[in-house]
Amino acid sequence: MDKIFIIIRDLLVLLSRHTGFSYKAINIIVYYYIIPFIFILFIDQIYKTHYLKISFILVLSILTLLINDFEKFSEWLFDYSKKFLYSFSFIGWNYVVASVIICVIIPIIVLSFLVYFAFK
């Protein structure tokens, strides 16, 4: 688990260096914008429609425009997300384990199912 966490963290740090966004902002962009959008693309593919991706882009665009300071917003949401991951300590998961399971393993499983149903 530690190795997976370090690989993902280092990848996000690398992205932050190349984009000029902070690590926390990149984290929010990846986990709250990009990954959900990828899921929505496959859901639209399954249902042979474009409504979800258009709605997602529209809603996210409006919400993003309403954010005065994206870096400050990202810090707040990242810290809140961190608290969420720490809350899994009641079942014995530390932050690293919860991060890998919730933010890596589960999205890969969901994506696998979506890809399967989109192209079966």
Side-chain angles (χ1 to χ4, degrees), residues 12-26 29 70-71:
L12 293 172
V13 167
L14 183 67
L15 284 171
S16 74
R17 286 185 191 142
H18 287 289
T19 62
F21 287 105
S22 69
Y23 168 79
K24 290 180 179 181
I26 286 295
I29 291 166
F70 188 76
E71 286 293 336

Side-chain angles (χ1 to χ4, degrees), residues 34-57:
I34 295 172
I35 291 175
F37 185 67
I38 291 169
F39 290 171
I40 286 170
L41 286 174
F42 283 107
I43 293 168
D44 268 356
Q45 175 70 26
I46 291 166
Y47 290 105
K48 309 287 188 242
T49 185
H50 300 290
Y51 299 120
L52 288 176
K53 67 181 152 265
I54 291 169
S55 299
F56 184 81
I57 290 169

